[in-house]
Amino acid sequence: MKNEFTEPRPSKLLKGAAVLALAAVVTKLLGTLQKIPLQNIGGDGVFGIYNTVYPFYMMIVTFATAGFPAAVSKFIAERQVLGEEAGKRSVLRMASLIMGLLGVAGFAMLYFGAPLLSRAIGSSQLLPALRNAAPALLFIPLTAALRGYFQGLQEMVPTAVSQVTEQTVRVTVMIVLLLYWTGVGAADDVIAGGAFAGSAAGGMAGLLVMLVFWRRSSGQRESTAPSRKLGAASQIDIPDRAKGAGEERGTKLLAAMLAYAIPVCLAALAVPLLSLVDTFTLPRLLQSRGADELQAMVEVGIYNRGVPLVQLVTMLASSLSVMFIPALTELRMKNDPVGIQRQTTLALRWFWLIGLAASTGLALLAQPINVMLYEDDLGSATLAWIAWTAAPGALVTVSAALLQGLGHVRAPALHLLAAAALKTALNALLVPPLGITGAALAGIAAYGAAAALNLALLARRTGRARRGASAALAQLLRPAAAVLAMAGAVLLVRLGAGALPLGGGRMAALAESLLGVAVGAAVFAAAVLRTGLLSAAELAALPRVSPRLVAALRRLRLVR
């Protein structure tokens, strides 16, 4: 009879990784793109309130869910090997208790502490959004515990289905409530609060999906438990140390789980920290320029127009960077410094080119993209500056992944903490005279600093530090010709669009934006290949890149 022990472990892991990767892409796309109808329906005031509260909400969610699912997965996997059903139940009970308590604490802090938080941020407009975001915390931590349980069993489908369901319900409910509250003429703070109610609905849906999978798996375990336990015991030679791990209970189990979960949690908290800096500084700093509370929220909304576009680039970089981690880990285990240096050089060059192309294109097409997505061109100059965070942001993402592959897990988080401190100082310095453009400039500097710190550590660990700063600078400046070619092509498209009788409005901006992106990307890619920034050998070395791509580029004489 076929059971979970008959399928080869690598095959199961690869299938699970593919399922989770696909789910992550879908959920991130939904989460990022939902901000466009949010602004279109609610306006910049609602958009500003939402984006001021969202980083704080995500910080609490991350704190409650980042570390424990990984810990649950690890401890469940150990007990699965031992065939200990009682041990797995103990882990899940402990995790559910802790996650439930964290969820209740987060709910209480966000709901009952909403007046205090809104005063600390500097805007009473945030009160309904803070309170409506709070109920989601009653569901999301428990969902995370169950996801960790199934991941420990190498069953990734429940997590993937739950993630997609949660995000789909959240976005759907948010849009429905946005349409309702704007239809009845509600105030901006009420509309933003309604948008956050979608988070609670999505959290509840995600938990219900996990409970359905849990109930189904419970029934299967009851019918097959004796034979599975016998099979596990007969096939696996269990070391004494593993047996001791399986017997942990109560406070010992709690201490072991906390010891594993807390470092992971602290590392994850660094990621939303840069956005949280703007939450606590921008409203007050904008009010110091003479804006009232609502006007400050409108300006925050305009500032955040460019953020979803940069997040798409970061999401792409994050998804692609995963390909390099296992390859780098394998090279490290084989003690192959030449291979490590080759792989890191290729990855950094690849992501620097992606980020640079994205930043250049977004900056040059800021005005038509702004009109296409948000109906008007308010804040186009600020959007153009925010676009330049995509290039250092891509480097931060890939360098962090490479450092993780080399065994340095905490360093990227510490570097982001330093970048957050720099962002805070620069916001205070630049926002009073420059407004939201000052915040965008502070973001470029902060991401640039984090990227520089990661790259410096990576150079030391891969033996590239001896090549010196001049060589590193030369590597960064090498794509200048490709960037100039791309800029020229995009500017020609914009001049041509201005000369054609396309009229105004969003459709004309849509045509100009899409044509500019297509032409700019094609010219940049051709220039990169013709100037030898990426060779055929390097393209062939990229994980999962088909040889057919290299063959097609050779036929076009773009690579040698």
Side-chain angles (χ1 to χ4, degrees), residues 25 41 90 94-95 99 144 168 226 234 243 331 343 363 373 381 462 487 529 556:
V25 169
I41 299 170
S90 296
M94 180 63 71
M99 299 293 270
T168 303
S234 63
K243 290 179 181 178
L331 291 170
Q343 197 69 253
L373 297 178
T462 58
L529 294 170
L556 295 171

Side-chain angles (χ1 to χ4, degrees), residues 16-90:
V19 169
L20 278 186
L22 180 60
V25 169
V26 172
T27 54
K28 285 178 181 177
L29 275 174
L30 285 171
T32 300
L33 297 179
Q34 55 96 19
K35 292 186 177 182
I36 295 170
L38 172 63
Q39 187 276 342
N40 284 194
I41 299 170
D44 287 316
V46 172
F47 198 51
I49 295 170
Y50 185 92
N51 282 290
T52 301
V53 171
Y54 189 74
F56 189 79
Y57 163 76
M58 280 307 300
M59 181 68 79
I60 298 177
V61 169
T62 302
F63 178 77
T65 63
F68 257 92
V72 173
S73 175
K74 172 185 179 294
F75 283 81
I76 290 292
E78 290 176 351
R79 284 146 183 81
Q80 174 75 355
V81 170
L82 301 174
E84 281 197 359
E85 288 298 326
K88 288 192 288 185
R89 287 195 296 271
S90 296

Side-chain angles (χ1 to χ4, degrees), residues 31 61 143 168 238 257 298 324 346 395 400 404 440 464 479 496 508 533 546:
V61 169
T143 307
T168 303
I238 302 168
M257 293 179 72
V298 170
F324 291 94
L346 176 61
L395 280 183
Q404 289 167 12
R464 299 185 65 199
L533 287 169
S546 171

Side-chain angles (χ1 to χ4, degrees), residues 228-248:
R228 285 175 58 184
K229 186 168 183 179
L230 178 60
S234 63
Q235 293 176 33
I236 299 172
D237 184 19
I238 302 168
D240 292 338
R241 185 175 60 181
K243 290 179 181 178
E247 292 165 2
E248 288 175 341

Side-chain angles (χ1 to χ4, degrees), residues 20-302:
L20 278 186
L22 180 60
V25 169
V26 172
T27 54
K28 285 178 181 177
L29 275 174
L30 285 171
T32 300
L33 297 179
Q34 55 96 19
K35 292 186 177 182
I36 295 170
L38 172 63
Q39 187 276 342
N40 284 194
I41 299 170
D44 287 316
V46 172
F47 198 51
I49 295 170
Y50 185 92
N51 282 290
T52 301
V53 171
Y54 189 74
F56 189 79
Y57 163 76
M58 280 307 300
M59 181 68 79
I60 298 177
V61 169
T62 302
F63 178 77
T65 63
F68 257 92
V72 173
S73 175
K74 172 185 179 294
F75 283 81
I76 290 292
E78 290 176 351
R79 284 146 183 81
Q80 174 75 355
V81 170
L82 301 174
E84 281 197 359
E85 288 298 326
K88 288 192 288 185
R89 287 195 296 271
S90 296
V91 171
L92 185 57
R93 276 198 301 267
M94 180 63 71
S96 298
L97 174 63
I98 299 301
M99 299 293 270
L101 291 174
L102 284 173
V104 171
F107 166 80
M109 183 172 72
L110 208 55
Y111 188 87
F112 297 108
L116 181 62
L117 285 171
S118 61
R119 285 196 297 271
I121 295 171
S123 177
S124 61
Q125 297 283 317
L126 308 176
L127 197 59
L130 286 166
R131 283 185 166 159
N132 280 12
L137 298 173
L138 296 174
F139 308 110
I140 292 174
L142 290 172
T143 307
L146 286 168
R147 287 173 181 170
Y149 172 83
F150 281 103
Q151 288 168 24
L153 300 178
Q154 297 181 30
E155 296 177 15
M156 308 303 179
V157 171
T159 295
V161 174
S162 174
Q163 286 177 340
V164 174
T165 301
E166 178 185 334
Q167 197 75 298
T168 303
V169 171
R170 185 175 78 83
V171 173
T172 301
V173 171
M174 182 198 78
I175 291 176
V176 169
L177 290 175
L178 278 172
L179 292 170
Y180 172 76
W181 286 117
T182 53
V184 299
D188 283 356
D189 59 343
V190 176
I191 298 171
F196 267 108
S199 298
M204 186 186 301
L207 179 58
L208 287 174
V209 168
M210 293 309 302
L211 289 174
V212 168
F213 277 106
W214 163 253
R215 184 174 180 83
R216 186 181 302 169
S217 70
S218 296
Q220 292 174 351
R221 284 196 310 275
E222 288 173 6
S223 62
T224 62
S227 61
R228 285 175 58 184
K229 186 168 183 179
L230 178 60
S234 63
Q235 293 176 33
I236 299 172
D237 184 19
I238 302 168
D240 292 338
R241 185 175 60 181
K243 290 179 181 178
E247 292 165 2
E248 288 175 341
R249 297 287 189 274
T251 54
K252 272 191 174 182
L253 176 60
L254 174 61
M257 293 179 72
L258 288 174
Y260 188 87
I262 288 175
V264 178
C265 181
L266 292 177
L269 282 174
V271 176
L273 197 58
L274 282 173
S275 298
L276 197 65
V277 169
D278 285 329
T279 291
F280 279 97
T281 59
L282 264 187
R284 286 189 182 279
L285 290 170
L286 291 172
Q287 289 173 43
S288 73
R289 289 167 49 87
D292 59 29
E293 286 188 4
L294 184 56
Q295 187 180 352
M297 286 298 103
V298 170
E299 289 192 56
V300 171
I302 294 172

Side-chain angles (χ1 to χ4, degrees), residues 300-321:
V300 171
I302 294 172
Y303 168 77
N304 276 282
R305 288 184 176 192
V307 173
L309 303 174
V310 173
Q311 285 177 342
L312 285 175
V313 178
T314 307
M315 182 197 75
L316 174 64
S318 179
S319 300
L320 292 175
S321 67

Side-chain angles (χ1 to χ4, degrees), residues 358-409:
S359 285
T360 305
L362 286 175
L364 293 174
L365 294 167
Q367 192 270 341
I369 287 175
N370 202 7
V371 175
M372 174 184 73
L373 297 178
Y374 302 112
E375 298 184 278
D376 57 52
D377 62 355
L378 292 175
S380 292
T382 300
L383 195 156
W385 283 113
I386 289 175
W388 288 105
T389 61
L395 280 183
V396 169
T397 301
V398 68
S399 58
L402 293 171
L403 285 169
Q404 289 167 12
L406 293 173
H408 300 280
V409 179

